Structure formats: structure tokens, C-alpha cells
Amino acid sequence: MKHDAVGVVDFGGQYAHLIATKIRSAKVYAEIVDPNAPFEVFKRFKGIVLSGSPALSSKDEASDYNHEIFELDVPILGICFGHQEIAKHYGGKVVHGGREWGYAIFRRLIEHPLFEGWQVEEQVFMSHYDSVVEVGEGFVEAGRSRVGEGVDEQRFSAIVNDKAKRYGVQFHPEVDDTVKGDLLLANFAIKICGCKPTWTMENFLETKFQETKEFVKDKPVFLLASGGVDSTVTALIVAKALGGDKLHLLHIDNGLMRKDESKGILKQLEALGLSKNLHFVDAGEEFLRGLEGVFDPEQKRQIIGDTFVEVLKKEAQKFLSHEYFLAQGTIYPDTIETGGTKRAHTIKTHHNRVPLIRKMIEEGRVIEPLRELYKSEVRQLGALLGLSREMLRRHPFPGPGLGVRCLCARGDEKADDEVALSFAEVCKKYGVQGFVLPLKSVGVKADMRSYEFAGVLWGVRYEELDEGVVGAILKEAEGINRCAYLLYPEKPSEHAVRQAYVTKERLDMLREADSIVDQVLRIHGIYDAIWQCPVVALPLVFGGMGLETVVIRPVQSSRGMTARAYRFSEAVLLDLKARLSSLDFVSAILVDLTSKPPGTIEWE
Ligand code: XMP
């Protein structure tokens, strides 16, 4: 089945993915598009949404996108920056000023299908510096907004031009704070663009069965089963489309798995009826050999990715004599991050896109049935395919596993003096004590990879470090991309980095700590409220005691592309502290407080 689609042009606004998600929840397929994509790409859609952006339309920032978009004869809805670009393109005027933050009341001036189901006044969410002050010919002012009672109304908060099929809203319909925003996006996709609401998980499955059969024909399919939701759902789709005997599953224990994970995964796959060609190889030694003496995060990723492919090829030769296809559980954010926009490609190499896999993709030998889906949609699909609740609620786990959570060091690392000085000063300004760790980790700042020091905050209670304080410190401190709270010991003592790489001994310690954190989250009933909680080992010794500093990194997120630090209650914190500090190897415990950006979820 072919689905009507809306293209969401991502100008780098924080919420572009939310726009796509919300349109999809109205059962219309939506896809993120690069602003500089060729005209042919835009022509595929029945409607286009132009997203918001950190750029200023009034100053012609980010204006080097493909303006052929405006030649399309399909409806275009601009949001915030997109709204201003539409106004400007068609002879209107945008100025720097008239900014509104947060909640506002939108007052509709006209009846229009875009606002079907909206009262005359509705609560909306605003976040802009620039505003539209004039519109070109054919445009109608559809609504105004005010940020509080008695405050002057802002004009042109919505504009429409039915003849040209151009629409714009200054507010963000994609965020939940715009109470009827979902309805507006559904109205746009269905009533204005005329898209049929056929994008359901049931239809998606049917389409994927069909596509898989046509693409693969009678060839065998090989799949690396990590035990995560994505690869398991992929396996079930392929098995149902082709029959279980065509699908070969290989679970590799790469030595970088969590405690007792491989055993559990094999049992799970068997319980799902995927045991027919289920293969297992313990390649832990091979992976660890490759990682000997390596401390650079990107190099670690390359080695892990390449070793996966080498083991896969070797194993495949054992039981597949002729050409086979490779199935992967790649999901939408992965393809966007690696292939599409400028960003995460430089931030980290995704293990599904190492050079050898890229080559197979070019040869047309890779199938990725989930490549259009967000994690929440994969979970819906998993439920349809009979995955247990326990499997569906599992936190995501990265392909390179604990390899990216075991930080390595040569042993001579030191914190930069200037960075340390400025960090301590910034912290003081906010009434906190702070020092810089002599170790760097990966982060993302202004859409670019950063590799910077981590700052540690102490001397106040954890509850006092609210998001605003941490955000301000991170914003003002130079050369820092993360902040963590010192949970144990209470005061920092002399500390030093020790030389350490990814070794079995370190991984075993990390597995122990990770399993304790996992238990605590479950016991306190907060496992489901958290997107993911990586536990990271730093080869950093405080006061000459123990071997590793353990970092707990709880985050809330809905797609993993942005994240907020999850905040523990005092009871959880005490429990974590008591259990982890009783392990001999634990020298210190940190709780990461960083959002993404400027940190990433994994430390690397
Ligand atoms: P970052 O660290 O970039 O992670 O903020 C975002 C999300 O992606 C997961 N992640 C990966 N998943 N292969 C995966 O399948 C990878 O190479 C990989 N690297 C990061 C990470 O755990 C988080 O959920």
C-alpha cells in the first residue's frame, strides 16, 4: 500500500521530529526532509511543513535552502521560522522584535478548515524573537496572540492564502502546550493536503511483509539479533514475510553485553518461535583483542563495528553457501542522524553504518524494514507482533554496548587549567562548588560533535541543583559539555586518572554496577518513567581508594535525539549510594545532570 505523505522540512528547530510524530499519530505518513534537498524530493509529498529554527528570519539567516519549495503546487504550512519565511517570500515583512515566550492565548479572526475544532480562543505555545508585521497580497491575517491579560495583541500569529495554498502559524502546534495543536496538524494533513489517513501499524506491517517478499525473493536473510526491541521486531517481520526457515539469526556475545544478557536473549528468541536457525557465537575475546590499548572513542566504535561485520561474515559462511541479504533493525533517527542532516554523522559512527555495511547497502543487499519508524512506533509494532510487555519496556541499549560506557585513558590526562578556573568561578556565581574532571567525553553543541571535559558539582544538596542552575552553568562555562553531581564521597579528595582500556576486568565491574542500578530503578518503580539510564565507568580514583568512578546517567527522552536529565528522589539516591558504594572497586559515584545537547546520552 502506498501512503500519502507530508514532508517536514527541518530547519534545525528543536521540534521538527515532533511535527512528524504528531502528523503520523493522525495516521498520515510524515518524513523529515533536508532544506537543501533537490526539488525531486519535495515533489513526492502531498503537503509540506516548514519547521521552526534557531536562525533569525529577519536577518536572512539559514536562508540558503532550496527555494524551489515555493514553486510546489501543494499546500505548505510554516511554523514559527517557517511562518516568517512564507510571509517574507510572498512580499510580507519580518522584523526582529515582538518576541513571545511560553504560553499565549491565540484569538482566531476567521473560520478556516485549518482551525476546525478550535474555539475562538485557544492556548498556544510561543518561542520567537522575530515576528511578521506585514503580509503580501492574497494573505489574510487569521489570528492574533497575547501573552497575558492586558498585554497588547501580537498581529499575524496565523496567516492564510488559500489561493496560493500557503499557511503560517507563529506558535508551535507540535508541542503539547498548544492544547489543540495535534488537531491543527491533522487538519492540515487531511483536510488541506487531502492525505488519506492510512498510516496505521497494521497497514505498515502488511506493506513490509509484501516489500520484504518482493525484495528478497528466495534468498536467505541473515540478521544480527542483539535482543533489543528493534532487531527482534525486524526478525519477526522477516520471519512472517518469508517463513522461519529463510531467516538466520545470529546472536553474538561481544563481551560488551550486560550481566547474563546473552543467555536471556537466546531464551527470549526461542520463546518467540525464532529458534529454527538461531545461531550463537561467543566472540568476546575477539572484540576485546581489537580494543586493546585503544582509548579514542571513535576508534573504539570503528573497531567494534568492524568486528561485528567480520564475525558475521565468518559465521554466515558456515551455514549460508550462496548470496544472502542482511536485515538490520535500523530505525528512523539512526538513518536521519547518519545519512541525512549534517549532524550526528560527525558526532559518532553508528554501528549500522560502518564502511562494510555501507558497501552492502550500495550493493542492494540490506533490508531495514523499520527505517521509517520512531522508537514508540516500533514498540507499537512489537505489541502487534506479540512481544511481551517486559521486552517492549526495555530501555534502549547501544549496538557497541558497554564498549561506549567504559571510558578509557592513557593515564596522563589532566584538566585544562583555564577551563578549571573558569568553571570554578561560574559555579561560585551560582552558589555551588565545582571542579573539572581530568577526562573528556563526547557531547553535541550547536549540532556539532564536542569532546570536552566534564564538570562536577558538590557542596549543595542534589535537589537544589535544578535544571535552570545546571543549564546556566553549562551555558557559561567554557570547554565543558557535561555536569554531574558528586553523590559519593561527600567531598572531593585528591583524584587521578589511571591508565585503562576496555578489558574484561573493567567490563565485569561495570556489569555489576549496571545491574545494581537496573534493580534499584525497578524496585522503586521508576524504570518506566526513564528512557534510559546508562551506567558509565571512568578510570578515575579518588583518595587512592577503589578503581573506578561510576556515573549514573538517567534521562528522559522520546526519541533519544534530545534528552533531559531525569531527577531521582532522595530515597532512590540514598539506595543507589548505599548499594554502589559497598562495591570494593567503586571509588566515587556521580549522577549526570546534563541535558542533550550539550551532552549526548552516552559518554563514550
Ligand atoms: P547519544 O549518545 O548519541 O545516543 O545521545 C542517542 C541514543 O542512541 C543510542 N545509541 C546507539 N544505538 N547503535 C545503537 O543502536 C549505536 O551505535 C548507538 N550509539 C548510541 C543511545 O544509547 C541513545 O539511546
Side-chain angles (χ1 to χ4, degrees):
M1 171 183 250
K2 206 161 156 12
H3 303 278
D4 292 337
V6 171
V8 178
V9 182
D10 179 3
F11 285 110
Q14 286 180 63
Y15 311 121
H17 281 273
L18 263 186
I19 305 172
T21 315
K22 293 273 162 109
I23 296 176
R24 286 175 177 207
S25 60
K27 302 191 173 52
V28 174
Y29 179 62
E31 199 176 296
I32 300 288
V33 195
D34 190 285
N36 294 100
F39 193 49
E40 292 308 309
V41 171
F42 295 107
K43 285 206 309 214
R44 295 208 313 259
F45 302 108
K46 285 195 84 170
I48 301 278
V49 178
L50 307 181
S51 84
S53 170
L56 295 174
S57 175
S58 64
K59 306 224 186 304
D60 287 335
E61 289 174 2
S63 61
D64 60 344
Y65 57 90
N66 187 351
H67 280 69
E68 285 175 324
I69 297 174
F70 296 115
E71 286 165 28
L72 293 165
D73 186 33
V74 298
I76 303 182
L77 169 70
I79 294 174
C80 196
F81 173 84
H83 160 75
Q84 295 155 8
E85 286 296 296
I86 288 180
K88 214 167 69 179
H89 184 83
Y90 292 97
K93 194 168 164 197
V94 177
V95 296
H96 189 55
R99 74 178 197 200
E100 295 168 293
W101 303 125
Y103 298 115
I105 297 295
F106 173 77
R107 182 167 68 87
R108 185 163 52 79
L109 301 174
I110 59 166
E111 293 286 339
H112 193 275
L114 189 61
F115 295 104
E116 206 173 293
W118 278 48
Q119 304 291 327
V120 172
E121 292 202 340
E122 292 286 354
Q123 178 188 300
V124 296
F125 180 81
M126 292 285 190
S127 177
H128 65 111
Y129 281 110
D130 286 352
S131 11
V132 175
V133 290
E134 255 175 58
V135 285
E137 215 182 296
F139 278 85
V140 174
E141 182 181 16
R144 297 180 180 181
S145 54
R146 58 177 191 277
V147 284
E149 289 313 323
V151 180
D152 284 348
E153 274 190 334
Q154 184 75 30
R155 292 197 58 192
F156 303 109
S157 300
I159 56 175
V160 304
N161 181 341
D162 282 318
K163 191 148 169 270
K165 303 183 192 159
R166 301 293 178 254
Y167 309 86
V169 291
Q170 181 56 69
F171 54 85
H172 287 272
E174 70 276 24
V175 304
D176 293 334
D177 310 81
T178 296
V179 177
K180 288 196 184 154
D182 295 18
L183 190 57
L184 185 142
L185 290 170
N187 287 342
F188 175 70
I190 298 167
K191 297 200 159 47
I192 295 183
C193 303
C195 294
K196 285 188 265 337
T198 55
W199 174 258
T200 60
M201 284 301 117
E202 288 82 357
N203 283 343
F204 176 87
L205 262 187
E206 278 311 313
T207 313
K208 288 297 153 182
F209 290 156
Q210 210 53 40
E211 276 178 16
T212 308
K213 269 189 235 163
E214 281 165 19
F215 194 70
V216 172
K217 303 216 167 60
D218 57 350
K219 298 253 165 52
V221 176
F222 196 60
L223 184 142
L224 280 186
S226 70
V229 181
D230 305 342
S231 64
T232 309
V233 169
T234 306
L236 285 169
I237 292 177
V238 176
K240 288 205 179 198
L242 307 177
D245 46 349
K246 284 270 163 56
L247 174 68
H248 286 260
L249 291 182
L250 172 66
H251 176 64
I252 302 176
D253 183 349
N254 54 9
L256 306 168
M257 307 292 285
R258 302 171 116 169
K259 197 172 169 186
D260 297 330
E261 203 169 15
S262 284
K263 270 185 257 160
I265 289 166
L266 292 172
K267 266 199 212 136
Q268 253 170 25
L269 294 170
E270 276 164 15
L272 285 165
L274 293 168
S275 56
K276 189 136 192 201
N277 296 312
L278 179 57
H279 313 274
F280 170 72
V281 55
D282 182 350
E285 281 185 19
E286 209 165 324
F287 278 85
L288 290 188
R289 225 177 300 127
L291 290 167
E292 258 170 36
V294 179
F295 72 92
D296 176 70
E298 265 302 280
Q299 205 185 340
K300 282 197 303 188
R301 277 186 169 265
Q302 291 287 352
I303 291 166
I304 297 169
D306 288 350
T307 314
F308 261 122
V309 180
E310 276 156 29
V311 175
L312 175 154
K313 280 186 147 177
K314 210 159 52 190
E315 292 301 308
Q317 272 169 10
K318 288 188 192 160
F319 41 82
L320 294 173
S321 51
H322 52 296
E323 214 180 55
Y324 57 88
F325 281 81
L326 180 70
Q328 298 203 116
T330 314
I331 65 171
Y332 195 46
D334 306 339
T335 59
I336 283 286
E337 290 202 339
T338 325
T341 49
K342 304 115 218 159
R343 201 165 65 91
H345 192 43
T346 54
I347 295 168
K348 47 188 74 167
T349 311
H350 203 274
H351 76 292
N352 288 358
R353 288 290 181 273
V354 293
L356 281 164
I357 301 271
R358 280 181 187 276
K359 186 161 168 277
M360 284 186 83
I361 294 175
E362 278 159 24
E363 292 166 358
R365 291 177 54 204
V366 175
I367 52 170
E368 296 182 318
L370 309 181
R371 56 178 299 133
E372 293 114 325
L373 300 189
Y374 288 109
K375 193 84 175 184
S376 56
E377 292 171 323
V378 177
R379 287 186 168 134
Q380 281 172 38
L381 207 58
L384 272 181
L385 288 164
L387 253 59
S388 65
R389 188 179 123 69
E390 185 51 32
M391 267 219 81
L392 293 172
R393 68 199 274 254
R394 274 183 68 160
H395 289 172
F397 187 64
L402 300 182
V404 296
R405 298 183 178 171
C406 214
L407 260 74
C408 302
R410 289 178 308 250
D412 57 359
E413 287 84 352
K414 293 209 167 31
D416 181 282
D417 287 345
E418 259 179 56
V419 172
L421 207 66
S422 106
F423 184 71
E425 269 172 26
V426 173
C427 289
K428 206 163 147 200
K429 183 172 145 193
Y430 290 95
V432 189
Q433 310 242 41
F435 66 97
V436 175
L437 289 183
L439 279 175
K440 288 184 176 178
S441 70
V442 175
V444 48
K445 279 184 168 177
D447 285 353
M448 299 290 289
R449 173 195 167 96
S450 73
Y451 189 51
E452 294 181 318
F453 292 107
V456 177
L457 306 177
W458 66 285
V460 291
R461 286 158 55 86
Y462 169 83
E463 306 83 85
E464 288 170 48
L465 289 169
D466 67 35
E467 210 176 17
V469 172
V470 178
I473 293 175
L474 279 165
K475 199 170 151 195
E476 287 176 39
E478 295 287 338
I480 298 279
N481 60 9
R482 290 178 189 276
C483 271
Y485 176 73
L486 181 68
L487 180 63
Y488 169 85
E490 253 152 56
K491 285 186 187 159
S493 43
E494 281 293 304
H495 51 275
V497 176
R498 63 183 184 97
Q499 187 185 59
Y501 303 104
V502 180
T503 58
K504 170 133 185 354
E505 293 68 36
R506 288 191 76 208
L507 288 164
D508 283 343
M509 292 191 265
L510 179 54
R511 271 188 271 268
E512 204 50 48
D514 176 69
S515 135
I516 288 177
V517 173
D518 188 85
Q519 277 170 38
V520 171
L521 302 189
R522 291 173 194 271
I523 291 168
H524 288 264
I526 55 172
Y527 186 87
D528 291 335
I530 293 174
W531 159 266
Q532 202 177 4
C533 187
V535 178
V536 183
L538 312 180
L540 190 64
V541 180
F542 282 77
M545 306 280 287
L547 290 169
E548 303 280 337
T549 291
V550 171
V551 185
I552 310 166
R553 168 76 168 132
V555 291
Q556 282 183 308
S557 175
S558 43
R559 277 159 286 273
M561 304 192 67
T562 55
R564 287 172 79 172
Y566 174 87
R567 304 305 295 255
F568 291 129
S569 67
E570 201 177 342
V572 174
L573 222 49
L574 285 174
D575 204 0
L576 286 168
K577 184 171 163 179
R579 292 182 196 229
L580 288 172
S581 62
S582 71
L583 299 172
D584 286 347
F585 64 85
V586 172
S587 179
I589 309 168
L590 303 174
V591 183
D592 195 335
L593 302 165
T594 321
S595 56
K596 174 184 177 178
T600 44
I601 295 177
E602 308 289 349
W603 275 51
E604 320 247 343

